[in-house]
Amino acid sequence: MEENAPLCDIVLHQPVRAREIFKSVVYIALKSLQIMPETFTCNQLLVDIKIDWLPPFSEYTIYNGIKLTNKMNEKRFVKFEGIVQLLSGPTKYTQSARYQCSLEDCEGYQGNKFVRVHIPGAWETETIRKDFLCLYCQSPLVEDPTCRILGDKVIAEMIPSSAFYTSTYSVCHQSITVYCRDELTENILLGRKYSVIGIPFTRKIGSSIFVLMEANNMELIENVPYNVPSSIHNLPPPLMELYNAGTLLLATDGVCFLGDLSFSSKNKQEILVRALESGNIIISPPPQVNCVGDLPLLTYPLQCTVWGLISSNSRKKSDTGRKQVEQTSVGLGNLNKVLINGFGMLYITDSTVPNGDEYYNQLTLCQISDKSSTSSFSNILMSNEEWKKFLTYASSINTRFTEEAEFLIQGYYVASRRVHSSAAQGPEFPMAVVSTLMSVAQAFSKLSLRQKVADSDAVMAILLYEETLSARYGYSALNVRNMPHARNENMSYLFGLENDQRLQQFHRLLQQFIATYAGDAGFKEE
């Protein structure tokens, strides 16, 4: 732009014309340097311009499908940021094809006078057709199949980034269909956020007109959306079947809240169990797919924290009147036992307080911000934006475990496995407890803005886990009782001096527990 503003304007606003200009310049340079043979023509040269930057103005930025529709007649570069929700399997398209006159004595029979190349927004039928005519004699042109060059193509359905940051669900967000070709198909992944520079174009299919986008360049963005919206209006053209990312992939590097699992079908529960056990998400092609050849299964690593809800009031109607055998202190409905064990922590609460979540959040913030007040929410010192910045910074801290913290977690695991296995009807003690406790202890350390995971972090993690066992099974080897609510009357027990004393007492009890049941395994305090 600084060197040649008129040329930059042509590149940004007339990309097809710009490509022809660069093509002519490259051809002249090749001929002048005698790099190519004498028979080489300009029609044989394929030049592609890659754009990695656009002016930071609103006219070049697309926020949703509606704004893209407004630019449907502008064949110029625009920028769009979104998350890949749907993705097709790779297919082939024609980069270029050579035609020649059907009459051998015509001048159009020899050489490379008729070469068709793909341009952004062009359909396959615009490159490969049977109704092209010779410019010299008007006879039909025929393709030389030995000269056809193919490339790879995938179609991505992308959700606008703005849909993830909205505070209300009253707005309908329209997704955008993006065509990716050649090297852009290699690293595009479901559930990831990308910045796309491309050219909008339209296609009429039946009585409908679709506004699409052909990518010129793509860049992976690591930022994670806050929440997955439910108000996405998908308008993909009915051209090919697309793989669906699903909520687990859309929540990559974040938290995926699946809602009430009691209403999940058996098939969805089994899929979730496989993902939690293997750490991988396997995506199958749509059952109605109809194409040549079999589409492969796509495997992605599970890179999000999965949360779910189990409500004792949300059991299916088919269970009404059926006698239930209580094996735990809380009912888990019809949920797969393996699915429940796949979650690291199971928190049991009740729903007797109206607007409970809001009540807990406000009350906790109030207590932390102003210990002298327990009834007023007017003294909260941190805004939501400040909390977001704090949590973002805390999550970026790299932590390492102290020997004391490792001793407590490993000793607790060995001792608990022995106690639970020796009980005739005692609850199971999952083998994945160690990784769960280490993750929770790390979280406490990060929230305290410390790089070392101390023994106090391990104690708090173990205490929380014992509360989940007590709530679920009605039994705790360390005599811990569940506290499902944080109310005014027990706030001092959860925060401040009383909580410190409670943790110190539990720490001593934990050390005795480890020494008693795991002392012979080397877990003894020196």
Side-chain angles (χ1 to χ4, degrees), residues 12-221:
L12 294 179
H13 299 90
Q14 304 177 58
V16 175
R17 179 187 173 192
R19 190 160 78 165
E20 291 300 318
I21 293 175
F22 281 96
K23 180 179 176 180
S24 300
V25 172
V26 172
Y27 175 73
I28 293 173
L30 292 175
K31 295 292 287 186
S32 300
L33 297 174
Q34 298 181 350
I35 296 177
M36 304 303 291
E38 289 293 332
T39 57
F40 181 77
T41 65
C42 188
N43 288 336
Q44 293 177 265
L45 189 62
L46 179 61
V47 175
D48 197 10
I49 303 174
K50 289 295 181 184
I51 305 296
D52 58 7
W53 176 87
L54 287 178
F57 304 135
S58 59
E59 287 300 313
Y60 295 93
T61 305
I62 301 297
Y63 300 104
N64 51 53
I66 297 176
K67 189 171 181 180
L68 183 65
T69 303
N70 297 334
K71 299 183 180 298
M72 57 188 296
N73 295 321
E74 301 179 17
K75 302 294 185 181
R76 63 177 179 84
F77 289 109
V78 293
K79 185 177 181 179
F80 166 74
E81 289 187 1
I83 291 84
V84 179
Q85 178 193 20
L86 302 173
L87 187 65
S88 74
T91 57
K92 296 294 183 181
Y93 82 100
T94 302
Q95 288 183 342
S96 64
R98 174 183 176 273
Y99 288 83
Q100 59 187 20
C101 183
S102 55
L103 300 179
E104 296 185 2
D105 56 351
C106 176
E107 186 177 351
Y109 181 78
Q110 301 293 334
N112 299 292
K113 298 180 175 61
F114 305 107
V115 178
R116 302 285 297 182
V117 297
H118 171 80
I119 61 173
W123 216 242
E124 182 73 5
T125 53
E126 297 180 42
T127 307
I128 302 298
R129 289 214 312 260
K130 296 183 178 180
D131 58 351
F132 294 130
L133 299 179
C134 177
L135 297 178
Y136 300 97
C137 66
Q138 297 300 307
S139 298
L141 295 180
V142 293
E143 182 193 358
D144 181 359
T146 61
C147 296
R148 183 186 293 193
I149 300 177
L150 301 179
D152 294 322
K153 173 189 69 177
V154 297
I155 301 176
E157 190 74 12
M158 302 184 68
I159 305 173
S161 299
S162 58
F164 290 86
Y165 300 94
T166 181
S167 59
T168 176
Y169 289 102
S170 61
V171 179
C172 181
H173 301 275
Q174 181 177 322
S175 59
I176 293 178
T177 301
V178 179
Y179 280 68
C180 308
R181 303 181 189 272
D182 302 323
E183 70 275 5
L184 297 182
T185 66
E186 297 175 359
N187 298 316
I188 186 168
L189 300 172
L190 283 167
R192 292 303 183 96
K193 182 179 178 181
Y194 294 89
S195 173
V196 182
I197 295 178
I199 300 176
F201 66 99
T202 59
R203 274 294 165 264
K204 183 176 181 181
I205 303 177
S207 59
S208 302
I209 296 179
F210 295 92
V211 182
L212 314 171
M213 185 175 180
E214 176 143 338
N216 175 270
N217 211 344
M218 298 181 68
E219 179 183 2
L220 177 64
I221 301 178

Side-chain angles (χ1 to χ4, degrees), residues 7 16 26 51 80 101 120 131 186-187 222 239 242 260 281 302 326 356 377 391 399 402 429 435 452 478 484 491 518:
L7 178 60
V16 175
V26 172
I51 305 296
F80 166 74
C101 183
D131 58 351
E186 297 175 359
N187 298 316
E222 297 297 337
L239 306 175
L242 305 178
D260 195 338
I281 305 169
L302 178 62
E326 292 290 348
F377 301 143
L391 293 176
T399 60
T402 60
F429 201 78
S435 61
K452 291 184 178 181
L478 292 168
M491 289 301 293

Side-chain angles (χ1 to χ4, degrees), residues 263-281:
F263 292 106
S264 300
S265 64
K266 183 178 179 181
N267 181 54
K268 289 184 178 180
Q269 291 184 23
E270 292 176 350
I271 293 175
L272 182 57
V273 167
R274 289 195 295 268
L276 293 175
E277 287 183 338
S278 66
N280 292 314
I281 305 169

Side-chain angles (χ1 to χ4, degrees), residues 254-407:
V255 175
C256 179
F257 177 61
L258 298 176
D260 195 338
L261 299 177
S262 303
F263 292 106
S264 300
S265 64
K266 183 178 179 181
N267 181 54
K268 289 184 178 180
Q269 291 184 23
E270 292 176 350
I271 293 175
L272 182 57
V273 167
R274 289 195 295 268
L276 293 175
E277 287 183 338
S278 66
N280 292 314
I281 305 169
I282 299 177
I283 301 178
S284 304
Q288 69 274 19
V289 68
N290 183 19
C291 65
V292 179
D294 295 330
L295 290 179
L297 297 176
L298 300 183
T299 302
Y300 291 88
L302 178 62
Q303 296 179 328
C304 69
T305 301
V306 183
W307 290 5
L309 169 68
I310 306 168
S311 175
S312 59
N313 299 322
S314 62
R315 297 174 189 168
K316 298 179 180 179
K317 295 182 179 180
S318 59
D319 294 333
T320 305
R322 181 182 302 175
K323 184 176 180 180
Q324 181 182 5
V325 179
E326 292 290 348
Q327 297 178 342
T328 69
S329 63
V330 294
L332 297 179
N334 295 324
L335 288 181
N336 190 327
K337 187 177 181 180
V338 179
L339 174 60
I340 298 299
N341 291 334
F343 288 88
M345 298 282 278
L346 182 66
Y347 299 97
I348 309 298
T349 63
D350 61 58
S351 56
T352 57
V353 179
N355 300 321
D357 291 340
E358 181 179 356
Y359 175 84
Y360 304 146
N361 293 338
Q362 290 180 332
L363 187 56
T364 302
L365 291 175
C366 181
Q367 290 292 322
I368 294 175
S369 304
D370 188 355
K371 295 181 180 179
S372 64
S373 172
T374 59
S375 60
S376 174
F377 301 143
S378 61
N379 295 320
I380 297 178
L381 301 180
M382 293 180 64
S383 65
N384 288 339
E385 188 62 32
E386 290 172 326
W387 276 108
K388 290 176 183 176
K389 291 180 179 179
F390 167 74
L391 293 176
T392 300
Y393 175 76
S395 63
S396 66
I397 297 176
N398 295 321
T399 60
R400 61 183 180 87
F401 278 81
T402 60
E403 293 182 1
E404 294 82 1
E406 290 183 344
F407 169 85

